[in-house]
Amino acid sequence: MLRKESELPHNANGGASGPVVSQTNEAAGPKYTRSMELLRKYTEDSLELYRPELRKLLWPVFVYSFLDLVREYFTRDAEQFFATYKPHFEREHEEDIKFLGKVSLPAHLQDSRVAKLYLENKYRVSLTATPFYNFVQFLESKIWEGGQVIIDMMRDHINIVTVDRTATAERSIAAILARGSGDDELPAEDEGIPGHNPGHPQTHRHDPEADASRIKLTLGPYPQDQDLQDDVRAALQDEDSKNPPRPGQSSLVDEYEQRIKREPTEDVPSRDTVPLPPSLARDVAMEVQKVVEHRDRYKITGRTGGVGPAVSITMYTFHNTHDSINCIDFSGDNKLVAAGMSESYIRVWSLDGSPLTDDTDNSGTPVQPSSSRRLVGHAGPVYAVTFSPSTENPDPNGPSTASQYLLSCSGDNTVRLWSLEMWSCLVAYRGHDNPVWDLQWGPHGHYFLTGSSDRTARLWSTDHIEPLRIYVGHDNDVDCIAFHPNNLYVFTGSCDRTVRMWHISGGNCLRLFTGHTGNVTAIACSPDGKTLATADDVGSIILWTLESGRRKKRMRGHGKGGIWSLSWSVESTVLVSAGADKTVRVWDVLQETNESANKTGADGGPANKVDGALTSKGTAGASVPGGKKAQKEAGVSADQISAFPTKDSPVYKVQFTRMNLVLAGGAYLPPPKV
């Protein structure tokens, strides 16, 4: 107490002049506990309309109360306070709780990254005007019952921004009542510390000096080179003359004209922003095949009579892998599949079993034709593989449109480029300081993106040995990455539970998506470039509207363990997902549902608590002794169209083809025998 009081400034009369909290004779522990209870009781007794907003104040008041107790040397009171209230916040703030739990002395406040982050920044909370003014009046009426502590805390550490309810559709009375009173709300997007989870999806709201002109997104398709357009149009005219369209079927030229239509023109990116190499005969052939497949694809329509669109899935299961497969990818021409192994090599198979290119090994010895080839070169586990863009060959006598290259990343901190013609490594890209978790080709090839344990993502081009851009901002590993279809933006997901959207050439972060309660494990952007899908390891999928940066809806049904792959249909209306719960699930993107706890289960009856997990150890429809069906999955949102369970195969990859067929791949992994 002597040490604490000696640090207080003194006024002219010799008395200590400090905040009311420090001058009180009451012990700090009970005072902070009483103020916390005052806030909790006021929040729960408030109108249901205002309760979700006021609950956002509980976390910052808890954190700053704990940090003040530590700073004022009330070590035992701080430990007791932390242990009492931390269970209320572990679901949404698990990482911060873990770091704050290590703080017990004032010296730790400077050593803890999270504690410094909270103490050096003000926590932002947005409230509508009515609940804010009512709350201030309540605190003033309870000055001696703990209100003064919260008032001081709001003045020193919390930045409360009042917004007009009528100007915010998400906070309208109708929207709040539609969400219901479920206690399964995601963390609010409009709260937090700048750059730290959670935070606002539009980063310029936290950074007033950010260039507002850059926040306006250009989501239109990437414009084709005029020479390429002319060559493709001429090739399509020849194809129409050879194979005239059937009655009622559009011609290929008409289909192409419809695809390259640019409306509005201001939404189209400039080719100068992300330059591509000159087009070749191969590019013309690929564009022709894409137009053919787009016209002849299985068209997925909306719901008919309450029944969702039918989707066909082809599942490839790998046996005798001994749990060594880390990743799977399918080539764009649907001819090859590659798997990255924990034993540091890659194996490539032909999907139809036909022998791959006969060649010689490094010593010149002929290699026996085989339906698989092995690529050796990495010195650590291979965590991701991806084929270069390719299509079916429209003309067997023309240029090849098969995948020419395969990219792989590894725990040896390198990325390797492999030739699928010579079956050898062409380049080893070095730049990351830690294992590289994920990589992906750009939509037009040439560029590729990597995400690493060093908390960065890097943009590369195949003709440069050094990265072109480095994207820095995540608090933890970058676990998954994705390109926007127009090649102008990239997305990164991290185990800091955030997703960031970056300008590919400017390198600045344009959107910060928060709200996941688990580590982000998969990202996919819709082909129309307007919606982003992100998934986490607790079984939730969130859809985001890119233009506004706002959450569109959340979809639940997967069990815990991780959703490892997402893929969109050509029309951007259906999403498929797969992961550790050994299922492939199909989702209706357009259907509107409540994000909070569903009132009905998968069978139309009352649902159990929405926790994204399976209520039984088996998959949907598994039998139990007595001949009865196992209990249905809990918390399946109404927008799930169908679920396809495998027997004992976690699904590593799921991918829509351009004909709207779904390819899925996994490794047979039976449960260990007891």
Side-chain angles (χ1 to χ4, degrees):
M1 290 299 297
L2 177 63
R3 188 186 311 168
K4 181 173 77 72
E5 292 183 3
S6 65
E7 294 177 353
L8 294 175
H10 288 72
N11 55 30
N13 297 325
S17 60
V20 175
V21 177
S22 300
Q23 293 185 34
T24 182
N25 293 326
E26 185 180 2
K31 189 166 186 67
Y32 280 110
T33 300
R34 188 166 61 172
S35 64
M36 190 72 184
E37 288 299 324
L38 180 74
L39 176 59
R40 288 186 61 202
K41 188 174 186 307
Y42 176 78
T43 300
E44 297 308 317
D45 291 345
S46 298
L47 290 176
E48 186 177 341
L49 188 67
Y50 303 137
R51 205 175 297 155
E53 293 184 62
L54 294 171
R55 281 177 179 159
K56 297 192 297 184
L57 290 167
L58 290 170
W59 168 250
V61 169
F62 163 74
V63 171
Y64 289 114
S65 297
F66 170 70
L67 294 179
D68 283 348
L69 285 169
V70 173
R71 184 168 50 189
E72 296 178 11
Y73 297 93
F74 293 100
T75 304
R76 290 188 178 179
D77 289 342
E79 292 176 353
Q80 184 176 356
F81 181 86
F82 189 80
T84 301
Y85 293 106
K86 78 171 182 178
H88 301 289
F89 307 103
E90 284 180 325
R91 177 180 175 271
E92 296 179 2
H93 304 278
E94 180 183 1
E95 290 296 318
D96 286 0
I97 288 286
K98 182 173 68 175
F99 286 106
L100 291 174
K102 301 176 182 178
V103 176
S104 59
L105 296 173
H108 298 166
L109 298 177
Q110 295 301 316
D111 299 333
S112 172
R113 177 182 62 86
V114 173
K116 286 180 64 177
L117 197 64
Y118 278 92
L119 290 174
E120 294 174 0
N121 298 274
K122 283 196 172 186
Y123 193 98
R124 184 184 189 278
V125 176
S126 61
L127 298 176
T128 49
T130 302
F132 171 69
Y133 293 125
N134 290 343
F135 180 57
V136 172
Q137 291 178 356
F138 170 76
L139 293 179
E140 290 177 346
S141 67
K142 300 289 184 179
I143 289 291
W144 305 111
E145 288 83 8
Q148 184 65 50
V149 177
I150 299 178
I151 291 175
D152 292 339
M153 207 171 294
M154 291 167 54
R155 179 194 63 212
D156 297 335
H157 300 298
I158 303 175
N159 176 26
I160 297 182
V161 179
T162 56
V163 295
D164 185 2
R165 184 182 299 279
T166 59
T168 310
E170 292 180 346
R171 298 173 184 271
S172 67
I173 295 176
I176 293 175
L177 293 177
R179 285 199 294 266
S181 58
D183 59 352
D184 198 41
E185 298 277 341
L186 286 172
E189 297 171 1
D190 275 351
E191 65 177 76
I193 289 175
H196 186 64
N197 180 31
H200 195 274
Q202 297 186 14
T203 55
H204 76 284
R205 292 279 295 272
H206 283 318
D207 184 7
E209 298 180 359
D211 184 3
S213 64
R214 291 186 178 182
I215 302 302
K216 173 65 177 174
L217 301 182
T218 304
L219 302 178
Y222 188 85
Q224 287 186 353
D225 178 60
Q226 188 60 47
D227 292 339
L228 177 62
Q229 286 189 27
D230 296 340
D231 292 340
V232 172
R233 192 177 288 107
L236 292 173
Q237 288 174 349
D238 293 341
E239 187 67 25
D240 279 333
S241 62
K242 294 177 185 177
N243 301 299
R246 299 187 302 271
Q249 186 181 46
S250 62
S251 68
L252 293 174
V253 174
D254 292 341
E255 187 76 22
Y256 182 63
E257 295 292 345
Q258 187 67 26
R259 285 192 66 193
I260 65 173
K261 205 172 182 181
R262 301 287 184 252
E263 292 179 356
T265 55
E266 63 268 13
D267 199 32
V268 177
S270 169
R271 288 182 59 87
D272 297 333
T273 305
V274 188
L276 292 174
S279 57
L280 305 173
R282 167 189 168 87
D283 300 313
V284 176
M286 289 179 65
E287 288 301 320
V288 169
Q289 180 62 20
K290 288 178 181 177
V291 174
V292 173
E293 292 179 348
H294 191 270
R295 184 193 67 176
D296 298 340
R297 76 189 188 279
Y298 170 71
K299 296 177 176 59
I300 296 180
T301 57
R303 287 177 173 261
T304 304
V307 179
V311 176
S312 297
I313 299 177
T314 301
M315 176 71 185
Y316 292 88
T317 304
F318 297 83
H319 291 268
N320 302 317
T321 64
H322 307 292
D323 198 20
S324 63
I325 290 183
N326 290 333
C327 54
I328 294 174
D329 191 43
F330 298 97
S331 61
D333 58 359
N334 308 321
K335 299 291 187 184
L336 302 174
V337 60
M341 306 293 186
S342 58
E343 289 88 353
S344 307
Y345 69 91
I346 303 155
R347 186 170 286 278
V348 182
W349 289 268
S350 60
L351 288 176
D352 58 2
S354 60
L356 298 178
T357 307
D358 189 9
D359 208 338
T360 59
D361 58 19
N362 295 333
S363 63
T365 305
V367 177
Q368 184 72 21
S370 172
S371 62
S372 69
R373 296 297 294 261
R374 198 162 78 153
L375 303 175
V376 180
H378 281 293
V382 179
Y383 293 122
V385 290
T386 178
F387 286 98
S388 60
S390 61
T391 65
E392 286 274 359
N393 199 337
D395 182 8
N397 299 320
S400 171
T401 58
S403 290
Q404 295 177 301
Y405 307 108
L406 177 75
L407 279 169
S408 62
C409 62
S410 168
D412 62 8
N413 307 351
T414 69
V415 175
R416 288 183 178 264
L417 179 69
W418 306 86
S419 169
L420 298 180
E421 297 173 353
M422 298 182 292
W423 301 102
S424 61
C425 180
L426 301 178
V427 189
Y429 300 95
R430 293 178 172 85
H432 285 290
D433 299 327
N434 293 92
V436 186
W437 299 130
D438 197 14
L439 81 166
Q440 186 178 0
W441 282 100
H444 306 286
H446 188 64
Y447 298 102
F448 62 93
L449 184 69
T450 58
S452 169
S453 175
D454 61 11
R455 304 182 183 181
T456 69
R458 303 185 186 221
L459 180 73
W460 312 72
S461 67
T462 52
D463 56 354
H464 284 72
I465 196 66
E466 299 289 338
L468 305 179
R469 294 288 185 275
I470 301 178
Y471 307 103
V472 181
H474 282 289
D475 293 336
N476 218 320
D477 299 15
V478 177
D479 293 325
C480 49
I481 46 92
F483 273 89
H484 190 274
N486 69 6
N487 214 33
L488 191 60
Y489 307 105
V490 294
F491 305 94
T492 57
S494 169
C495 47
D496 65 6
R497 304 184 178 186
T498 67
V499 177
R500 289 175 179 262
M501 180 180 185
W502 311 82
H503 193 282
I504 192 170
S505 61
N508 51 316
C509 181
L510 303 178
R511 295 285 188 270
L512 174 63
F513 302 101
T514 68
H516 279 287
T517 56
N519 302 329
V520 181
T521 52
I523 308 176
C525 187
S526 61
D528 63 7
K530 297 179 180 179
T531 309
L532 181 70
T534 60
D536 57 35
D537 60 0
V538 295
S540 293
I541 301 172
I542 300 180
L543 300 182
W544 311 87
T545 303
L546 291 179
E547 183 62 41
S548 63
R550 290 293 183 181
R551 184 170 62 239
K552 185 176 180 180
K553 67 173 178 176
R554 175 185 53 175
M555 304 185 295
R556 309 190 74 164
H558 273 284
K560 294 183 179 180
I563 298 172
W564 296 336
S565 183
L566 299 169
S567 184
W568 289 83
S569 66
V570 174
E571 297 85 358
S572 301
T573 58
V574 171
L575 182 76
V576 291
S577 60
D581 66 349
K582 305 176 182 179
T583 65
V584 176
R585 296 175 186 262
V586 185
W587 308 90
D588 189 335
V589 172
L590 302 181
Q591 182 179 358
E592 295 184 1
T593 61
N594 292 338
E595 284 193 0
S596 55
N598 295 292
K599 300 297 183 288
T600 59
D603 57 351
N608 293 322
K609 183 178 183 294
V610 179
D611 60 1
L614 300 180
T615 57
S616 61
K617 293 185 179 180
T619 52
S623 298
V624 294
K628 295 183 179 180
K629 289 282 188 179
Q631 187 179 4
K632 296 230 175 189
E633 295 157 288
V636 178
S637 55
D639 42 18
Q640 177 178 294
I641 297 171
S642 52
F644 298 85
T646 65
K647 184 178 180 181
D648 279 309
S649 301
V651 186
Y652 297 171
K653 179 72 175 181
V654 65
Q655 178 176 309
F656 261 109
T657 69
R658 282 182 288 271
M659 298 288 283
N660 272 337
L661 171 69
V662 178
L663 302 180
Y668 180 64
L669 190 64
K673 295 181 180 179
V674 179

